Amino acid sequence: MLVVGLTGGIGSGKSTVARLLAERGAVIVDADALAREVVAPGGPAHDALLERFGPALVKADGALDRAALASLVFGDEAARGDLNGIVHPEVAKAVMERVAAAGAADPAAVVVLDIPLLAEVGRDRYPVAGVVVVDAPIEAAVARLVANRGFAEEDARARVAAQATREERRAVADVVLDNSGDLDHLRSEVERAWMWIQALRSRL
């Protein structure tokens, strides 16, 4: 089994890259999806979050109001640190459970860990043989967030600015994919990454 990390800033196109890698046979472990699971009712981080941030974060259907929580911690470094301290360990545990399951199902699998905050938490948090970073100019990322996800431009810029810089992400990369162009360009970049993954696999 080969485990590779995939990361990129908000609006970089990382989710599209993950989909394209899945089309080539990779098993994708989506940390964002697992983060939603661990904070859901009955999830291992749910009660601790309510204890720290209050029951007002629970919606009428019992689910956690993730948007309200994000707004609450966005400008508060201490609160964001508390949130990460509760959620990240549980996400890391869930990620490793999925990796183990993928390896048990197929010992020759290529497992891609789709982790948005890999640069922030450090690549040594996970047992990755290499890291692929999806890179896009800030203006391109902002435009995608406005056009595709309905962000106000000011909010989009604030979200981009709150994450690791492009330079910090590239510093943890073994391969950088340029997503400044169209989908065809990105497909060619993903093919280049897949060839690198196969070469890495052959050396293990």
Side-chain angles (χ1 to χ4, degrees), residues 9-36:
I10 188 170
S12 67
K14 177 182 58 59
S15 296
T16 302
V17 170
R19 176 174 56 79
L20 293 171
L21 289 171
E23 289 176 2
R24 287 161 171 78
V27 177
I28 307 299
V29 177
D30 184 343
D32 262 355
L34 293 176
R36 289 190 287 274

Side-chain angles (χ1 to χ4, degrees), residues 43-97:
H46 182 266
D47 291 350
L49 286 176
L50 295 190
E51 185 176 335
R52 167 60 181 85
F53 295 104
L57 290 176
V58 179
K59 296 191 290 188
D61 63 0
L64 195 70
D65 189 335
R66 287 165 49 91
L69 180 58
S71 297
L72 185 65
V73 306
F74 186 67
D76 186 333
E77 190 172 336
R80 192 162 63 248
D82 289 344
L83 171 65
N84 291 341
I86 294 168
V87 174
H88 283 178
E90 298 298 343
V91 172
K93 188 185 304 181
V95 164
M96 294 314 301
E97 288 173 354

